[in-house]
Amino acid sequence: MNRELIKELPEIFEEFNDQRKKSFVTAMEMKQKGVPFVGVFCTYLPQEIPMAMGAAVVGLCSTSGETIPEAEKDLPRNLCPLVKSSYGFAKTDKCPYFYFSDLIVGETTCDGKKKMYEMLGEFKPVYVMELPNSQGPDAFELWKKEVIKFKEKLESHFGVTISEEKVREAVHLNNEVRSALKEFYEVMKLNPAPIMGGDMYKVLYGSTFRFEKARIPGDVRALTQKILSEYDDGTEDCPKKKFAGRPRIMITGCPIGGASEKVIKVLEDNGAQVVVYENCSGAKSVDELVDESNPDVYDALARRYLNIGCSCMTPDDNRFKLMGRLIDEYQVDAVVEVILQACHTYNVESFFVKRFVTEEKGVPYLGLETDYSTSDVGQLSTRISAFLEML
């Protein structure tokens, strides 16, 4: 029997939740064995290429306010907390993943990050990919060239040769991971949904810090099977009965995690249930697979990654296509958009999101601007409670 079927669901969820911290030791052991580390910031980064050279790919976006005071000694206070936190952890050397990274790779998604990458270059080697701000044919050609240049940068920086065969192997593995995670969060299409959104997020976010990627599909599918097997077991406490009647919420907007998970907790403490995440740690990052039938693997990678919908794109049609489909498929009762302070692209695009959600989809919308502090939890609770009462 799969080991994940023996454990109770709360234990499994907490294991995923603790994965980021638990992997610090694993990362150190891998470094001692000579495994190269590539630190990344965004879902646009084609991870399959560093994977093909045997590198460990680690996410460096920080979601804690712990190092922001130190970051503000160099950065403006009215800057996105994600940018300040990420820089602060690098500057103070409090992020083991940044410490272990042999190369930092960024993309030109926003102005704050672009300038922050220049400053990170004083601590570590940094390479920045030129991400287009649109998704048409010309933008695709530019991005494909950037993907190939990224491969060549890795080869020159690490003194390796990255074969097409290894890239295709990495593509297949990552497609398996995406498929398993998509199957997992699609259990939330059940009405009532079988688990709480906070637990779903622990799995989605925690999976990104598991270095043994080949094990992720099996473990996640075993968890999915266990969730479904316990959904309606005939008892009064089964999820089908326990979660009945909760408003079904979709979260969209800026990347969430760490301190910004307070929004999930406040929603669910007030009686709602988050059934789907459209943002970076949710459907956006795994919804589309790389086309393995494409004879040009770099063409396939470029198309898949450039198709991601994000407010850094103008126009951002792909975000609205995904959002509309998720609202229908997950029978969403309301949409909550989480916007980090000073994230200008998401803040401006919230105008279009609200109009799309309320007028085209006929679903209530709530926009929340926040940061990584806990000072606004009371205010968030008041606003969310009043919003849910109206549903």
Side-chain angles (χ1 to χ4, degrees):
M1 177 180 289
N2 189 297
R3 62 188 181 88
E4 299 295 352
L5 295 179
I6 301 173
K7 300 174 184 175
E8 295 299 318
L9 285 176
E11 181 184 359
I12 299 173
F13 293 141
E14 285 309 309
E15 284 187 357
F16 276 97
N17 192 43
D18 294 338
Q19 190 63 49
R20 188 174 188 273
K21 293 179 181 178
K22 289 193 301 183
S23 292
F24 291 163
V25 175
T26 305
M28 181 178 65
E29 293 171 347
M30 293 170 70
K31 283 295 292 182
Q32 290 171 345
K33 294 177 181 177
V35 176
F37 273 66
V38 175
V40 304
F41 285 94
C42 185
T43 52
Y44 281 107
L45 190 284
Q47 294 193 11
E48 289 84 352
I49 299 178
M51 286 171 58
M53 57 165 273
V57 183
V58 289
L60 300 181
C61 278
S62 299
T63 54
S64 164
E66 177 186 350
T67 63
I68 286 180
E70 186 63 34
E72 288 177 344
K73 293 179 181 179
D74 300 338
L75 297 171
R77 295 189 65 186
N78 61 339
L79 187 64
C80 166
L82 187 150
V83 176
K84 290 190 292 186
S85 178
S86 299
Y87 175 79
F89 273 94
K91 180 185 177 183
T92 59
D93 224 9
K94 289 185 176 180
C95 174
Y97 294 128
F98 186 90
Y99 176 80
F100 290 138
S101 292
D102 302 292
L103 180 68
I104 308 298
V105 184
E107 308 81 15
T108 54
T109 49
C110 78
D111 292 339
K113 278 187 176 180
K114 284 191 291 185
K115 302 310 290 185
M116 188 262 287
Y117 294 148
E118 290 183 35
M119 299 170 74
L120 288 185
E122 297 187 0
F123 308 126
K124 287 275 189 177
V126 175
Y127 180 75
V128 180
M129 299 181 70
E130 187 69 30
L131 180 74
N133 59 8
S134 63
Q135 296 172 315
D138 292 341
F140 165 73
E141 290 301 324
L142 186 155
W143 185 235
K144 181 179 177 181
K145 291 177 182 177
E146 286 294 303
V147 170
I148 295 171
K149 283 169 60 179
F150 175 46
K151 165 189 170 285
E152 294 168 348
K153 172 64 179 180
L154 292 176
E155 290 178 322
S156 63
H157 185 82
F158 291 99
V160 298
T161 298
I162 300 175
S163 69
E164 181 178 327
E165 179 185 4
K166 289 296 182 182
V167 175
R168 288 193 177 278
E169 288 176 5
V171 164
H172 180 72
L173 174 56
N174 254 8
N175 274 349
E176 280 294 300
V177 172
R178 293 185 189 105
S179 296
L181 289 171
K182 190 173 181 180
E183 291 166 17
F184 162 71
Y185 71 69
E186 283 183 343
V187 302
M188 304 301 277
K189 290 181 180 181
L190 291 169
N191 195 352
I195 60 174
M196 295 299 284
D199 290 328
M200 171 175 57
Y201 188 80
K202 291 173 185 176
V203 177
L204 295 173
Y205 185 64
S207 296
T208 64
F209 292 98
R210 295 189 66 173
F211 295 123
E212 296 176 320
K213 284 191 175 291
R215 291 185 56 180
I216 296 176
D219 288 348
V220 171
R221 286 186 170 118
L223 172 58
T224 302
Q225 179 184 344
K226 185 174 180 65
I227 291 169
L228 293 175
S229 69
E230 297 182 7
Y231 177 60
D232 185 14
D233 59 10
T235 65
E236 286 300 316
D237 197 41
C238 70
K240 185 174 183 179
K241 296 180 180 178
K242 182 167 62 175
F243 297 137
R246 284 178 174 259
R248 299 169 63 85
I249 306 296
M250 178 174 83
I251 288 184
T252 184
C254 293
I256 60 173
S260 55
E261 290 178 47
K262 60 190 173 185
V263 175
I264 306 171
K265 186 176 189 306
V266 172
L267 276 164
E268 300 197 324
D269 284 351
N270 277 279
Q273 190 172 20
V274 179
V275 296
V276 64
Y277 299 92
E278 181 273 336
N279 44 15
C280 291
S281 299
K284 182 180 295 184
S285 62
V286 298
D287 185 71
E288 185 175 338
L289 304 182
V290 178
D291 182 5
E292 296 185 50
S293 66
N294 190 327
D296 184 343
V297 70
Y298 299 105
D299 182 281
L301 283 168
R303 290 184 187 281
R304 186 270 171 194
Y305 281 95
L306 191 62
N307 278 347
I308 293 171
C310 175
S311 66
C312 67
M313 294 293 171
T314 303
D316 191 10
D317 295 338
N318 287 344
R319 181 185 179 197
F320 291 92
K321 289 177 184 176
L322 177 61
M323 196 184 308
R325 177 160 60 82
L326 294 177
I327 289 172
D328 293 338
E329 291 180 358
Y330 289 81
Q331 304 167 62
V332 168
D333 295 314
V335 172
V336 173
E337 184 166 24
V338 180
I339 305 162
L340 293 175
Q341 289 176 358
C343 182
H344 301 311
T345 55
Y346 272 105
N347 221 329
V348 172
E349 191 163 278
S350 66
F351 170 84
F352 298 106
V353 173
K354 180 179 181 180
R355 186 172 66 183
F356 173 77
V357 169
T358 58
E359 296 181 12
E360 291 194 33
K361 304 305 295 183
V363 171
Y365 165 92
L366 176 66
L368 300 172
E369 188 174 3
T370 187
D371 59 12
Y372 290 159
S373 72
T374 58
S375 61
D376 63 347
V377 169
Q379 182 186 35
L380 288 173
S381 184
T382 299
R383 290 191 62 196
I384 287 172
S385 176
F387 177 69
L388 294 176
E389 285 180 8
M390 294 189 302
L391 297 181

